[in-house]
Amino acid sequence: METVQLDRDVFETRVPNGVTVVSERVAGVRSAAVGIWVRTASVHEPRHLMGVSHLLEHMVFKGTTQRSAREIALELEARGGSLDAYTSRDTTAFQARVLDADLPRALDVLTDLVRRPALRDADLDLERNVILEEINTVQDTPDDLVFDLTAEALWPDHPYGYSILGTRDTVTTLSTEDLRRLHDRAYHSANCVIAAAGNLEHGALLELVGAQGWLDTPNGNGRAPGSPPAAAAVRGREVRHPKDTAQTHIVLATEGVRFSDPRKFPLMVLSNVFGGGMSSRLFQRIREELGLAYAVYSFTSFHGHAGVLGVYVGTQPRTAAQAAEAIREEYDKLARGGLAPDALDQAKQQTQGQLTLMLESPTARMYRLAGLAVHGEPYRSLDQTLAQIAALTPREVADVAAEFFAPDRQTLVWLGPN
């Protein structure tokens, strides 16, 4: 094993079997956050198996070879802790937040979930119905549904455009054999990252990880499913989806940059200026000046192969065209003019402040370490990241604004009454 000290309290160990263990000691807390990230998720799914990663994430909580579903639920909650999981485009993650004394218990439960799920036929119909209800919830929540429709519009033939939940048709046909095949291929040491932060020591964490068998020879012989090559997103498309809603929900979006691309920092700065809060251009124009919406904001996401950036607004059907046109005008201003030096300084300070405040919790620090390890990115301290943002020049930011905020690049998705 090779353990490297990345920062004063940050350590990373790479084990010969492929698993990566990374941790950060956070002084002054009595808690610990720990998680296991599997580097397989929706981007690795063929269309006919859409939703299989998410269904597997659910099914492991139905019981393992050592614990019932109820025992899993009680194991940490009875001690005041929490246990959760999620499926994203690139990863499936299982994490816990507990008192520092309960870190061994948390790691035992997480390992049990990841390594030893029962995956019983008798549980599948019940959990399948839960997923179908989750899909129904999205269908009944238009400000969620519009984002799924946007991904589909951007990547109609690539898994980045698939629904993470799957569809009613695909979820209905998934079998326990599909789940077992995915588990055998993906849920093994070489495909996992273990991250932790809080009142802990890296050496003691390694002992706990070793006691759970993560430092042994690979626990699986399978090879993780590969993701298809990144495909260019559709640009400048307009798609309308009729739905009987009180508002028209609109997203303008375009392909951004991948997690490892340094342009994500100017994109974060620009997104803050554009629609990141009450002082942003969109909030001031769309809500304060024109009174067209209650909710209007920009967003960014950075995945392994690509990213997304865009704008959401919900408005009355009769004002939808006016809102979309006003947003396009703001896109054009930013693409053509970039940011004046004083506006750039303010935007940098806002982004730096957000990043600093976000990392006040051990859970957020765990997520940050896991993200870097999952994507194979070199560690940067918070100070290094803040300095990188501070060093952005008006020219760099203007170039990114001209490339990604051009109005004719944006794909426009409408969801609401005709």
Side-chain angles (χ1 to χ4, degrees):
M1 292 191 304
E2 179 186 6
T3 297
V4 178
Q5 184 170 2
L6 303 175
D7 206 341
R8 185 181 64 182
D9 295 310
V10 180
F11 295 84
E12 180 183 74
T13 299
R14 297 189 178 184
V15 183
N17 67 12
V19 70
T20 297
V21 183
V22 59
S23 75
E24 178 173 7
R25 176 173 173 79
V26 181
V29 300
R30 292 291 306 276
S31 66
V34 59
I36 300 173
W37 273 257
V38 182
R39 293 188 184 95
T40 298
S42 68
V43 74
H44 306 96
E45 297 170 357
R47 186 180 290 276
H48 71 283
L49 293 179
M50 192 189 307
V52 65
S53 300
H54 178 253
L55 180 56
L56 177 56
E57 174 228 310
H58 272 241
M59 278 289 289
V60 303
F61 285 89
K62 299 300 289 183
T64 70
T65 58
Q66 297 184 0
R67 291 177 172 91
S68 68
R70 179 171 175 78
E71 288 170 335
I72 292 169
L74 283 173
E75 190 84 33
L76 302 183
E77 285 190 6
R79 306 276 299 175
S82 61
L83 179 65
D84 200 4
Y86 69 85
T87 305
S88 70
R89 298 290 179 194
D90 296 312
T91 60
T92 308
F94 304 85
Q95 70 275 328
R97 184 166 185 245
V98 294
L99 299 174
D100 50 13
D102 288 331
L103 181 59
R105 183 188 297 253
L107 195 56
D108 181 61
V109 172
L110 291 170
T111 300
D112 200 22
L113 290 172
V114 171
R115 300 271 288 270
R116 295 179 289 271
L119 302 180
R120 293 178 290 257
D121 290 334
D123 295 324
L124 180 57
D125 285 341
L126 289 174
E127 202 59 31
R128 192 201 317 274
N129 194 60
V130 171
I131 302 295
L132 292 174
E133 289 303 324
E134 189 175 0
I135 292 172
N136 289 338
T137 298
V138 172
Q139 292 292 324
D140 285 343
T141 312
D143 52 341
D144 283 343
L145 176 59
V146 71
F147 285 95
D148 276 357
L149 297 173
T150 299
E152 182 182 11
L154 289 171
W155 286 284
D157 300 313
H158 189 278
Y160 275 143
Y162 297 171
S163 168
I164 292 173
L165 303 183
T167 68
R168 291 188 182 96
D169 289 341
T170 61
V171 170
T172 299
T173 60
L174 292 173
S175 67
T176 51
E177 187 57 35
D178 293 322
L179 301 179
R180 292 189 188 100
R181 279 196 293 263
L182 175 59
H183 186 268
D184 289 344
R185 290 198 308 268
Y187 280 51
H188 55 81
S189 303
N191 203 38
C192 289
V193 168
I194 299 174
N199 188 24
L200 54 87
E201 298 288 347
H202 189 75
L205 175 65
L206 284 178
E207 290 183 6
L208 295 175
V209 169
Q212 294 295 333
W214 285 101
L215 308 184
D216 301 338
T217 54
N219 60 290
N221 298 319
R223 187 164 53 92
S227 57
V234 174
R235 299 180 184 177
R237 182 184 182 190
E238 183 171 332
V239 184
R240 293 177 181 262
H241 296 273
K243 192 172 181 66
D244 185 15
T245 55
Q247 286 186 309
T248 295
H249 301 267
I250 301 171
V251 171
L252 294 89
T254 189
E255 179 183 9
V257 300
R258 61 191 299 175
F259 185 91
S260 61
D261 194 314
R263 290 176 296 172
K264 73 181 180 184
F265 294 111
L267 279 175
M268 290 165 61
V269 168
L270 286 164
S271 183
N272 269 331
V273 169
F274 200 48
M278 293 174 61
S279 63
S280 68
R281 294 185 179 189
L282 290 179
F283 192 96
Q284 290 297 312
R285 176 79 187 282
I286 304 302
R287 176 164 164 166
E288 297 299 311
E289 180 184 332
L290 298 176
L292 297 178
Y294 173 76
V296 56
Y297 58 85
S298 60
F299 59 88
T300 56
S301 297
F302 306 107
H303 308 309
H305 297 300
V308 183
L309 68 146
V311 170
Y312 164 84
V313 66
T315 185
Q316 296 181 55
R318 64 180 179 83
T319 58
Q322 182 186 1
E325 182 57 31
I327 291 171
R328 284 188 177 278
E329 290 172 2
E330 294 301 320
Y331 265 109
D332 189 60
K333 291 177 187 177
L334 190 57
R336 291 176 181 273
L339 294 178
D342 58 338
L344 176 57
D345 288 341
Q346 182 178 342
K348 287 196 252 185
Q349 180 60 54
Q350 181 184 5
T351 305
Q352 290 170 316
Q354 289 174 343
L355 289 173
T356 302
L357 292 172
M358 180 186 70
L359 292 178
E360 287 291 293
S361 78
T363 300
R365 289 175 179 264
M366 173 191 68
Y367 279 127
R368 181 171 182 268
L369 292 177
L372 292 171
V374 162
H375 293 290
E377 285 298 290
Y379 173 81
R380 298 183 192 89
S381 69
L382 175 60
D383 287 342
Q384 288 172 324
T385 301
L386 298 181
Q388 190 167 356
I389 294 170
L392 293 173
T393 66
R395 182 72 264 163
E396 287 177 290
V397 174
D399 288 344
V400 170
E403 180 178 359
F404 292 97
F405 286 80
D408 59 359
R409 179 186 172 112
Q410 312 308 312
T411 284
L412 178 59
V413 178
W414 308 70
L415 175 65
N418 284 323

